[in-house]
Amino acid sequence: MSLVDPQEAARRDYARHRGTASALIATICFGVLALAAATVLGFAVGGVFEQLRVMSINSVFGSWETETPIAFRAWGLPLGILGLIVTLGLYGTWNHRYSGRSDFFVIVGPLTIVLAGLAVGTWLASTMWAAPDAVGVAVDPVFGQNETWGIGAWVLYAGTWWLPGLFALLTVLSLIGRVLAARRRERNGRVVEQLLARGVRTEAEITQAPLPEPSASRMIAPLVARFSDSEGVSRWVACTAALRTQDVPAVGARRPLVFDPADPGDVQRIFLSPAGGTDPSSFEPVRAAQ
């Protein structure tokens, strides 16, 4: 039985695997498996969508022939979801081990993987969907009671293009957002390093913080902190950080904060360390407290 501090054990684990080929290979492998699981889920979603689509574009006596395996609709959803839970968990673990940090993902994030898999899966499913008996009309070959398509039928008919296209668009947007977030993180990192070297580091008092949720391993914690600048003026700042439950500070706790003494009111040059770390990666940007 180990009696080592869990945080120290995690740091040692990250240090042991950081930048190693084995961690990179594991990250890529579990990322590919997560993409496959998302594709399975997308294929099943496409099969369920087809059921709604064919009921609108064809009559009950029309053609319902489809190449989508019926059993896959029932098993694809739970298997895809279960596969994503397992593979994304392992992907995150090895991604963090490779990078040595737990606050962001290298290569791509889980959201991009899921959206890409859904785009591929729904596109594959759309190639197997039943064709309409006639575009614009639900043909009734038995009683001859043909019905002209309404707006809903046209929307579902066009799902061949917009359903996978929507997931593809969201995938691209998630990639763009990731690039912008990475640039912002790099810029903030440079500013923090400058402030740690030439700015002022002080201890801020946490004045507002949520109560830790015992059942959660991580929390999104909105915090408000008070600090005094070089002139003794009290200032209040706020930030929202994703923290492990045990790292969420209590009201009255003190956390490291850096600011620019030349302009202590510039929130773009004020950074708080919600978990208490003193390395540059531990500091988060803040905003003016409301």
Side-chain angles (χ1 to χ4, degrees), residues 60 78 102 144 260 281:
V60 68
S102 61
D260 186 349
S281 63

Side-chain angles (χ1 to χ4, degrees), residues 212-220 242-248:
E213 177 56 54
S215 62
S217 59
R218 298 185 68 86
M219 291 180 56
I220 302 297
L243 300 172
R244 296 188 305 171
T245 303
Q246 59 266 37
D247 292 335
V248 176

Side-chain angles (χ1 to χ4, degrees), residues 47-59:
V48 173
F49 184 89
E50 183 194 16
Q51 289 182 305
L52 301 175
R53 179 177 181 270
V54 75
M55 286 190 298
S56 296
I57 63 176
N58 289 342
S59 75

